[in-house]
Amino acid sequence: MAIWFARSRNIVSSLRHNLNLSGILVQRDHSPRHAFTNSQLSSRSVFLDSFTSLRHESTAVEKQLDLVQQSDEEDPQELNFPGGKVGYTSELKFIPESSSRRVPCYRVLDENGRIIPDSDFIPVSEKLAVRMYEHMATLQVMDHIFYEAQRQGRISFYITTVGEEAVNIASAAALAPDDVVLPQYREPGVLLWRGFTLQEFANQCFGNKADHGKGRQMPVHYGSNRHSYFTVSSPIATQLPQAAGVGYSLKMEKKNACAVTFIGDGGTSEGDFHAGLNFAAVMEAPVVFICRNNGWAISTHISEQFRSDGIVVKGQAYGIRSIRVDGNDALAIYSAVRSAREMAVKEQRPVLIEAMTYRVGHHSTSDDSTKYRAADEIQYWKMSRNPVNRFRKWVEDNGWWSEEDESKLRSDARKQLLQAIQAAEKSEKPPLTELFSDVYDVKTKNLEEQELGLKELVEKQPQDYPPGFHI
Amino acid sequence: MWGILRRSAVDGGGFSSSSLGKTRFALVSARSYAAGSKEMTVRDALNSAIDEEMSADPKVFVMGEEVGQYQGAYKITKGLLEKYGPERVYDTPITEAGFTGIGVGAAYAGLKPVVEFMTFNFSMQAIDHIINSAAKSNYMSAGQINVPIVFRGPNGAAAGVGAQHSQCYAAWYASVPGLKVLAPYSAEDARGLLKAAIRDPDPVVFLENELLYGESFPISEEALDSSFCLPIGKAKIEREGKDVTITTFSKMVGFALKAAEKLAEEGISAEVINLRSIRPLDRATINASVRKTSRLVTVEEGFPQHGVCAEICASVVEESFSYLDAPVERIAGADVPMPYAANLERLALPQVEDIVRAAKRACYRSK
């Protein structure tokens, strides 16, 4: 029997050689004992069956196999399927639903703002560090004042970034100005870093004449071509496949830039998350996907959002390099985003960053999060895990920042913001001509007619139109 | 061949030699009329339009399922992969939401994608990107983000493809400000409108028809030139007439022309308007025609409620009420999901006889 088996092996290997087949033959070479538990007759018939089926399949698979390099030393313990070779196993074993150990979180600063010994990170100069801190503090003041303005009824709506200042500012600091940013809605810090002024923010929130958005959008839907920051779009996750498209465009035009897009933990449930990441990987587009995992999607806790170990593990499913970072550690975010950006541009590939953080504020001014989460949980994160305080400690320990600098910055920012709000509030609303422009590149005839009709009406009945409503 | 116009008791008119001379209808007459005139299928017209625009502008690229290696699900993109390579003729994975989003993103960044939907029925999976992103971005960003994208593919009923493959989306997309919606009929329409769509800086929804792809139409030298372009927002009077105005688009134009032939035999001179552009709608041409004929029959394949015909009727009633001699007539598909069985499918779509009947109703009703 052993001889028969050896002979059949030789026949098979010569068949392989002649018919240019390899690996499609499923033979239990590794456990010859099992082949002989049946009678010799049935073994032979099994052999004959596989022989004829080989012949039958040869013409069909040959074309495919031509793509695979042939070698006589080929390991018979691998299977050739569309997509490449895979080793096989006879053990009936499932990949577990989760790893025994969660993916660790990259961090550089401890909670007291001290650099953890032997940390791997990109050094930040005094100038850059102070600038980053100033922006984080300014963002805090801005959020506070605009939130209050909404509560006073002066603007209709606002979304704060409280608790996520490090993700916002440190990631922006790590990017190049030409990198195209497609935000979700909790990243005004990126725009602030790039030079959008407090007055410009206020103008958008008030929808006045000076608003770059011509009063077309709800508050916080900022956008600026000049700053390579795409206008915030309300539907969730649509920016992800769009970012892949922007990345593709940058790749085709061989630009030294990447697309950077933000998403929350909740947004990763959208179909567009799958499409965006899958496509970016297939197209080899230079895109950095930054997921702000802040624990809450309005009232939906992450335990109800997914059953995976967060978002970082999903990267590998798409063939995308990924990292989990402490989102409240500005230095860690800076290093991670900077490295990711370099990889994306130099290697023309997407990268995924999961920034672990916490949404200290409510989802928006239309939400009261104390209704679905404990007030002391919010307090804990606000006081003990505050990213701004943590970074401040490091900057102060280096002797780059003082108490005086702090109070000066905060009072200056506050003053500027209050002035900006006053000016924005007093400013006129956009003129009537802006109602009909930009629907198309050039106004169509029916729009021109409608505009004319409305102008005439306003002139004829001025008493029906509120003060400040002008042509 | 032209038919003899008999006097009709209703319109009191008779021969109108000027309208005879100007009458043009696509197939039979022109073939024997113009010696050596070329013909082209709608498929070739679309293919040549995309080819020429890609050649003229390196930012134009095509994406969709099966557009590359397979040469296009309906062979519209045949030969383009060989000519322009995989970067400009991109075979996408099966996710309309995904590749539409990518197309919009690429358009945001300055490229000019031509996104193919295997059928517009599948565009519903991507409709948020088309409407909330592509259509509204220029307005919402106050002119900072324009989206020079074209969404194209077969629309409306084919033959025996059932409910989920037969819906007409003209009314849905045409209701959205920020989009332009075009529906070609002939090869010349296909070439001129697709070239105009690709060159247009606004997002354009380009509704083709699967059953027209193989149909041949005569095409002029002018239309074969690579700079040929038709204006967006202008309808075409396919056949002049003076008794009743029939407006329609896409495949129904052919039916309307056949109906006009039949009506001519009975002494009714029908004016057939090929809309070409659903948004912006050429209300001026439609109303001018109705003011001439005093009667309106509007035809479409799609569902009747809130359809393109409803909009045309409203426009005519608003602007030309005193000119109307009869109530406006609407012919649309049956208000049911499209059935599969051939006999039922035929009953669910407008046929030439329906158009003829409606026109006659409009003509006799004034008594």
Side-chain angles (χ1 to χ4, degrees), chain A residues 129-146:
Chain A
V130 169
R131 184 159 183 243
M132 278 167 65
Y133 179 72
E134 284 175 338
H135 280 78
M136 284 166 74
T138 304
L139 179 57
Q140 270 190 329
V141 180
M142 183 174 99
D143 269 349
H144 176 74
I145 292 184
F146 279 133

Side-chain angles (χ1 to χ4, degrees), chain B residues 22 38 60 67-68 71 84 97 116 118 129 132 144 185 224 239 267 277 280-281 289 315 317 342 355 357:
Chain B
K22 281 180 208 153
K38 290 182 122 177
V60 178
V67 296
Q71 308 296 317
Y84 297 102
E116 175 174 306
M118 208 176 279
H129 281 290
N132 274 335
Q144 291 181 78
Y185 163 64
L224 287 169
R239 178 190 174 122
S277 176
L281 197 57
S289 173
S315 174
V317 165
I355 305 174
R357 258 194 306 262

